Amino acid sequence: MADSSKEELVQLIKKFGAYLTVKMSNLFSLSFRNMDSRSVGAIAGLAVVIVFSWRVFRSPSRPQRRQLKHRAAQSSSSQSNVPALTSGASEDSGAQNVVNEFFQPVKPTLGQIVRRKLSEGRKVTCRLLGVVLEENSPEELQVKQATLRSSVLEVLLELTKFCDLYFMERVLDDESEKRVLSALEDAGVFTSGGLVKDKVLFCSTETGRSSFVRQLEPDWHVDTNPEIISQLARFIKYQLHISPVRPERVASNVFSSQSLEQFFGSA
């Protein structure tokens, strides 16, 4: 209703402007000598008032139309953006899931664990009885076939890949030596791993095994005898004492575990 009133007023001003145009043309057709300064000033002032009134009545309508268009555009864009925002959120969630899966901590392999546990030690000496074999004494090797512990085989193969590995044991006769070598061969230690038969050493006394270790100067020695562990603590960089019961730690460079595979986390 307000718009129609403004339109009527605009039409009225237009008619009045046309009337003034006719009158002004008649006036200008007269000689300027017949016009005084008041008449000219009045006509000029009237023209200024008309132009100003025209702009005042015309200017509010444009911003209002622009505002209405802007509101309509906002409402339509907000409606169209609702599914877009929803789909964008789902895409962000999916991307985050992919990133989380990608950066999940990777479980280290047994080979990596062996390297870390050995602190980059490259030479290892290891007793056979009670560590690699099921038997615990030289006497047992005299009466039955030696048996390799199946749970330790995977660790042995990793050790042979990474380290210069030597096995050593005290035996009472030649037959015991053959049984030990046969058990290692049947398990595939000489074929799958890097171990050779020349690196399986035999002696007749516990002192002889200790002498082997000192001559080879390994980075690690693995044994079950606490006396040998204690004797070698001054000469060997690291030792692993295999014992079913946690022993008292004799030195800072001596570690203990119930089994070789448990020490490397594969048990």
Side-chain angles (χ1 to χ4, degrees):
M1 191 169 183
D3 291 340
S4 60
S5 302
K6 289 181 180 180
E7 290 295 332
E8 291 177 359
L9 182 59
V10 169
Q11 294 296 329
L12 181 61
I13 292 173
K14 285 182 179 180
K15 291 179 181 179
F16 184 66
Y19 173 76
L20 287 176
T21 302
V22 174
K23 289 294 183 182
M24 287 177 68
S25 62
N26 293 333
L27 286 172
F28 279 112
S29 64
L30 299 175
S31 174
F32 281 99
R33 288 178 298 179
N34 296 331
M35 295 179 63
D36 55 5
S37 59
R38 279 187 186 178
S39 299
V40 176
I43 292 171
L46 183 60
V48 171
V49 170
I50 292 171
V51 173
F52 180 76
S53 301
W54 171 262
R55 289 188 176 180
V56 167
F57 284 109
R58 189 171 180 82
S59 58
S61 61
R62 291 179 180 175
Q64 187 173 7
R65 285 197 295 270
R66 290 177 183 173
Q67 189 173 5
L68 291 173
K69 290 180 181 179
H70 182 64
R71 287 179 181 175
Q74 280 185 339
S75 62
S76 61
S77 63
S78 63
Q79 291 176 357
S80 62
N81 285 338
V82 169
L85 290 173
T86 306
S87 62
S90 62
E91 289 176 1
D92 291 344
S93 177
Q96 186 63 41
N97 292 335
V98 172
V99 171
N100 292 339
E101 290 178 4
F102 183 77
F103 285 101
Q104 276 185 349
V106 179
K107 186 178 179 180
T109 63
L110 180 58
Q112 292 171 336
I113 295 173
V114 168
R115 288 173 175 81
R116 187 177 71 247
K117 284 279 191 176
L118 293 181
S119 302
E120 301 302 321
R122 303 295 295 185
K123 183 183 285 189
V124 177
T125 55
C126 180
R127 182 180 189 178
L128 286 167
L129 288 171
V131 180
V132 177
L133 301 177
E134 294 282 359
E135 293 73 26
N136 294 298
S137 68
E139 289 76 16
E140 292 181 66
L141 295 176
Q142 287 184 302
V143 297
K144 66 175 186 177
Q145 184 68 30
T147 305
L148 189 102
R149 300 176 64 245
S150 58
S151 58
V152 80
L153 180 59
E154 190 177 4
V155 174
L156 290 182
L157 295 178
E158 289 297 333
L159 285 172
T160 56
K161 292 176 185 177
F162 177 68
C163 303
D164 187 13
L165 179 62
Y166 290 83
F167 287 137
M168 53 191 63
E169 192 49 67
R170 179 173 74 93
V171 293
L172 302 178
D173 53 31
D174 294 341
E175 286 298 320
S176 297
E177 291 185 20
K178 293 177 182 178
R179 288 172 179 152
V180 170
L181 292 174
S182 177
L184 294 173
E185 189 171 9
D186 292 343
V189 175
F190 298 129
T191 55
S192 300
L195 187 68
V196 295
K197 291 183 180 181
D198 291 340
K199 291 184 179 180
V200 182
L201 310 176
F202 297 99
C203 58
S204 58
T205 63
E206 292 291 284
T207 304
R209 187 168 74 252
S210 179
S211 298
F212 279 156
V213 175
R214 291 189 60 179
Q215 290 173 19
L216 291 170
E217 298 181 344
D219 298 303
W220 282 81
H221 176 63
V222 184
D223 212 297
T224 60
N225 190 328
E227 292 183 6
I228 291 181
I229 292 288
S230 179
Q231 293 170 8
L232 296 176
R234 294 180 300 162
F235 307 104
I236 308 304
K237 188 175 182 180
Y238 299 109
Q239 289 191 95
L240 177 60
H241 184 187
I242 302 299
S243 174
V245 181
R246 186 179 183 87
E248 182 180 353
R249 194 169 188 180
V250 297
S252 60
N253 62 338
V254 176
F255 302 88
S256 64
S257 178
Q258 291 183 354
S259 66
L260 187 65
E261 59 271 28
Q262 186 182 69
F263 179 73
F264 291 108
S266 65

